[in-house]
Amino acid sequence: MSTIQLISEHGCFGGVQRYYVHESRETGGPMKFSAFVPPAARAGKVPVLYYLSGLTCTEETFAIKAHAQALAAELGLMLIGPDTSPRQPRIPGDADSWDFGQAAGFYVDATQAPWAANYRMYSYVTRELPQVVEANLPALPGVMSICGHSMGGHGALTIALKNPDRYRSVSAFAPISAPMQCPWGVKALTNYLGADRETWKQYDASELIATRPFPGSILVDQGTADQFLAQQLMPEKLAAAAAKSGQALTLRMQPGYDHGYFFIQTFIGDHLRHHAGYLRG
């Protein structure tokens, strides 16, 4: 188990907001993550909600912009936010596009050179990061849920659907619901996984949910004024697949909200309460 290093710590709603870095075996370099530790953790270990951010984001984005700490402190939830891709070692061309490479790991385990050695965000999020968190922070072992936004919503949905025994609940804000059918997804999956579209299905929430529903209700919020709604996000594909499999899905189309963090701030409380019900149930 790698040793984690505290980068900074800030008092926050009776708890602490921290930033850590550690050497990752999965990505082959340093990885950063944010951790909000609620005041309840002084009395004992607490449940964990993992939050996966979207394209261009870092480990700081959710902690700074979502305004989630106040209610998390009330509910006694630890919030963990990993970075969105490896940053080191550098790979030629990794910063050429805003929607691929750095800050765009898509929460997959890449199989294609040169990405396969380091871009292993699926294994990092599902295996290594929980081990690091549970070994170093007051986290209840195995008591965790997952949430995400946009690319991170895609990540949260696919990870929970593939690991229903590990996550108590899942929710998403404006997820990339059918990456096999949208430009962002096709670009990422082609480069990370290769041309065989059959291998993409394991990272497509609409494909997964049609055949392996999650044992619990999924909450998804989507703004109707989201500039990426029609071309990139396609929540109707997720809803159709859920109906096919009988998945309990609450898809809320929120009038007037766009893709940004004002939207997330508005509804993050509903998501935290959704997860707290399962984590403490």
Side-chain angles (χ1 to χ4, degrees):
M1 177 64 61
S2 64
T3 302
I4 67 172
Q5 177 184 345
L6 181 66
I7 299 171
S8 65
E9 178 177 276
H10 316 274
C12 188
F13 293 101
V16 285
Q17 179 65 56
R18 296 173 180 159
Y19 296 97
Y20 290 101
V21 64
H22 71 105
E23 287 296 321
S24 168
R25 67 175 183 269
E26 292 291 352
T27 69
M31 289 295 295
K32 294 179 180 179
F33 67 92
S34 65
F36 173 69
V37 182
R42 289 194 290 269
K45 295 184 176 182
V46 296
V48 182
L49 176 61
Y50 288 86
Y51 178 92
L52 307 183
S53 291
L55 294 166
T56 75
C57 293
T58 72
E59 75 286 349
E60 295 184 327
T61 308
F62 173 70
I64 293 171
K65 292 186 173 184
H67 300 183
Q69 291 94 336
L71 185 55
E74 256 183 63
L75 297 171
L77 300 180
M78 185 183 299
L79 305 176
I80 299 292
D83 201 353
T84 48
S85 78
R87 305 283 172 168
Q88 298 176 34
R90 294 297 302 274
I91 295 172
D94 62 5
D96 288 353
S97 302
W98 70 272
D99 57 357
F100 177 76
Q102 277 207 1
F106 265 81
Y107 305 102
V108 306
D109 282 350
T111 59
Q112 302 300 298
W115 313 100
N118 308 104
Y119 275 67
R120 296 182 49 78
M121 290 299 293
Y122 174 82
S123 289
Y124 176 72
V125 168
T126 59
R127 291 204 296 263
E128 185 174 14
L129 183 58
Q131 291 172 1
V132 168
V133 168
E134 291 174 8
N136 293 279
L137 294 169
L140 278 170
V143 184
M144 60 186 181
S145 293
I146 194 163
C147 176
H149 170 231
S150 194
M151 176 185 72
H154 138 79
L157 291 171
T158 56
I159 284 169
L161 287 164
K162 291 168 70 171
N163 299 275
D165 56 329
R166 300 195 62 202
Y167 296 91
R168 300 280 182 95
S169 53
V170 58
S171 72
F173 294 92
I176 303 173
S177 294
M180 293 180 67
Q181 301 179 57
C182 77
W184 282 342
V186 170
K187 179 177 182 178
L189 297 176
T190 300
N191 282 285
Y192 288 137
L193 302 180
D196 181 1
R197 294 177 69 92
E198 281 299 308
T199 67
W200 299 5
K201 290 181 178 180
Q202 63 181 309
Y203 296 114
D204 187 303
S206 294
E207 292 286 336
L208 290 170
I209 209 170
T211 57
R212 52 166 96 176
F214 186 78
S217 181
I218 297 174
L219 173 61
V220 174
D221 276 309
Q222 171 65 62
T224 62
D226 191 319
Q227 62 270 43
F228 304 114
L229 176 56
Q231 187 179 28
Q232 303 284 10
L233 305 178
M234 304 180 183
E236 71 281 358
K237 304 285 187 186
L238 186 71
K244 178 180 177 182
S245 67
Q247 171 69 58
L249 170 67
T250 300
L251 172 60
R252 307 192 304 186
M253 302 300 295
Q254 304 290 3
Y257 287 91
D258 62 20
H259 198 67
Y261 267 81
F262 295 117
F263 160 59
I264 294 173
Q265 287 174 24
T266 304
F267 300 106
I268 188 66
D270 292 346
H271 286 246
L272 293 181
R273 292 184 185 93
H274 171 80
H275 292 295
Y278 285 96
L279 288 166
R280 296 196 171 278

